[in-house]
Amino acid sequence: MLRYINRSKSGDEMEQENYFFDIEEKPDNDKVFVLIIYDIVENKKRVKLSKILAGYGFRIQKSAFEAMITKKKYQELLKRLPAFVSSEDSIKVYKIIGKGQVVSFGKTMEIESEDLIII
């Protein structure tokens, strides 16, 4: 991941996070990158959905998660989501395959990773 400071014309600093991924659609590649965004009106339902999504990936904004998951987990996720949608709600799942680039401005999230030591 590449992070750098950019200066706008007014002289304000903006931190920009820029990262690339390459997910090839090959028979042996079992992973997909997904972006899940949602707008759920009811608080209880929204909180429950966010907890479920946290089990798949990382919150990147208040109503957005991204995840790198297996195709099996992706299908499982798609089956679970309709239970959270009423006539006022929406959930969108973007499956991204191939070369991708994400550029974000503003507050960045630090994702904690656990170190695994095998002896």
Side-chain angles (χ1 to χ4, degrees), residues 25-74:
E25 192 164 19
K26 292 181 179 177
D28 61 338
N29 185 10
D30 190 40
K31 299 277 186 176
V32 294
F33 178 80
V34 293
L35 172 65
I36 306 109
I37 58 172
Y38 58 92
D39 187 10
I40 305 295
V41 175
E42 187 183 317
N43 286 338
K44 186 176 178 181
K45 218 173 16 170
R46 187 174 53 250
V47 169
K48 186 174 180 182
L49 175 61
S50 68
K51 287 180 181 180
I52 287 172
L53 293 176
Y56 289 92
F58 301 98
R59 181 187 297 269
I60 55 169
Q61 289 189 3
K62 290 183 181 176
S63 295
F65 281 77
E66 64 181 30
M68 181 77 74
I69 56 177
T70 64
K71 290 177 182 175
K72 184 177 179 180
K73 285 282 187 189
Y74 173 71

Side-chain angles (χ1 to χ4, degrees), residues 62-111:
K62 290 183 181 176
S63 295
F65 281 77
E66 64 181 30
M68 181 77 74
I69 56 177
T70 64
K71 290 177 182 175
K72 184 177 179 180
K73 285 282 187 189
Y74 173 71
Q75 292 303 320
E76 174 189 297
L77 174 64
L78 293 180
K79 288 178 184 173
R80 295 179 82 178
L81 295 179
F84 293 93
V85 180
S86 70
S87 62
E88 300 175 310
D89 304 321
S90 69
I91 300 174
K92 291 191 178 217
V93 179
Y94 296 87
K95 177 180 168 186
I96 302 170
I97 297 175
K99 292 191 183 295
Q101 176 184 7
V102 178
V103 178
S104 64
F105 298 89
K107 184 179 177 183
T108 58
M109 293 225 12
E110 296 296 325
I111 299 172

Side-chain angles (χ1 to χ4, degrees), residues 16-29:
Q16 181 176 343
E17 176 183 11
N18 187 3
Y19 57 96
F20 298 84
F21 52 90
D22 188 4
I23 304 167
E24 296 181 30
E25 192 164 19
K26 292 181 179 177
D28 61 338
N29 185 10

